[in-house]
Amino acid sequence: MSRPEGVTEGADRPLLTFCDGATGERTELTATELGGWAARTAALLRDGCGLDVGDRAAVLLPAHWQTAAVLLGAWSIGVAVSFRPRATAGLPVLGPGADEPLDAVFASWARLDDWLENVPEGRHRFVLGLGDPRAEVPDGWRDFLPEVRRHGDAPPAYAAVHPSFAATPDGTSYHAWGELARHIADSLDLRPGDRLLVDAAEHEEPVKWLLAPLVAGASVVVCANLDPARRDALIAAEGVTKVL
């Protein structure tokens, strides 16, 4: 099992496990560990980039543990986040207000080529490897992991985000996203202690693979390149109780 640099063993149960059936990567994070990475991201955005409540970011990333850290970190300081993991011809990245400059953009190496021609303008742009070790960062972009590791993993003392604040640039509130996540969790009959298996290629919307398990008190196993022939073995090995 691999762990990201800076992550330590803890007494908490696993909250988010990311595995890749093609590379063999397996990264397991407890709630404390994931919270630490989210806190680092929040500090990067607030202290390093000067972002605050109401600022706007685009997260153009697949389901991954680093994506969870980016989303939770941004939301924790009130940044409205738009997410579209895949470039889609003819559709704007952000929907309403897409022509307005963004305050931050996050994109993966694997999909950056697709986005370079269409990605919205942003004051701060970060690229994430997600297992793709490229040497050169494109002009105008910064490598996320080295940047976020400059910041501590203690929860920052920032003002609380009100449920009525906009969680996405279209104005949808944190409360509304929470209600949607609760609806999805109920539809899956998720309960505290459940362990949900998610095929990363099939369910990239974070309200499904991240928020729904969180509101239910369940943990999640996000698997990229899931081999159908090994699915049952993975379910048994990870102690999975529900499958999305």
Side-chain angles (χ1 to χ4, degrees), residues 168-192:
T168 50
D170 64 4
T172 304
S173 69
Y174 287 92
H175 175 75
W177 278 113
E179 288 295 301
L180 178 57
R182 172 58 65 183
H183 174 75
I184 293 171
D186 288 345
S187 71
L188 294 170
D189 194 29
L190 283 179
R191 296 288 184 266

Side-chain angles (χ1 to χ4, degrees), residues 2-126:
S2 65
R3 288 179 177 269
E5 182 180 324
V7 171
T8 58
E9 294 286 343
D12 308 21
R13 65 180 175 85
L15 177 64
L16 189 156
T17 302
F18 174 80
C19 56
D20 189 326
T23 66
E25 175 188 353
R26 184 179 184 278
T27 299
E28 184 176 275
L29 300 175
T30 65
T32 300
E33 292 163 347
L34 179 58
W37 283 97
R40 290 183 180 200
T41 304
L44 169 64
L45 293 176
R46 180 69 178 270
D47 301 333
C49 301
L51 271 61
D52 208 337
V53 174
D55 285 330
R56 303 162 67 247
V59 176
L60 315 175
L61 301 168
H64 193 276
W65 74 263
Q66 292 180 39
T67 306
V70 169
L71 290 168
L72 295 175
W75 278 327
S76 72
I77 60 170
V79 172
V81 176
S82 175
F83 36 84
R84 175 165 294 157
R86 296 185 186 277
T88 305
L91 294 178
V93 174
L94 295 174
D99 294 334
E100 300 175 11
L102 285 166
D103 299 290
V105 176
F106 297 85
S108 65
W109 275 122
R111 297 176 182 178
L112 193 56
D113 291 341
D114 293 333
W115 284 109
L116 278 177
E117 296 299 323
N118 302 307
V119 73
E121 291 298 322
R123 292 193 293 122
H124 304 277
R125 292 184 173 192
F126 297 96

Side-chain angles (χ1 to χ4, degrees), residues 147-175:
E147 294 291 333
V148 80
R149 285 178 176 137
R150 300 176 191 272
H151 299 272
D153 59 2
Y158 299 146
V161 175
H162 194 276
S164 65
F165 291 175
T168 50
D170 64 4
T172 304
S173 69
Y174 287 92
H175 175 75

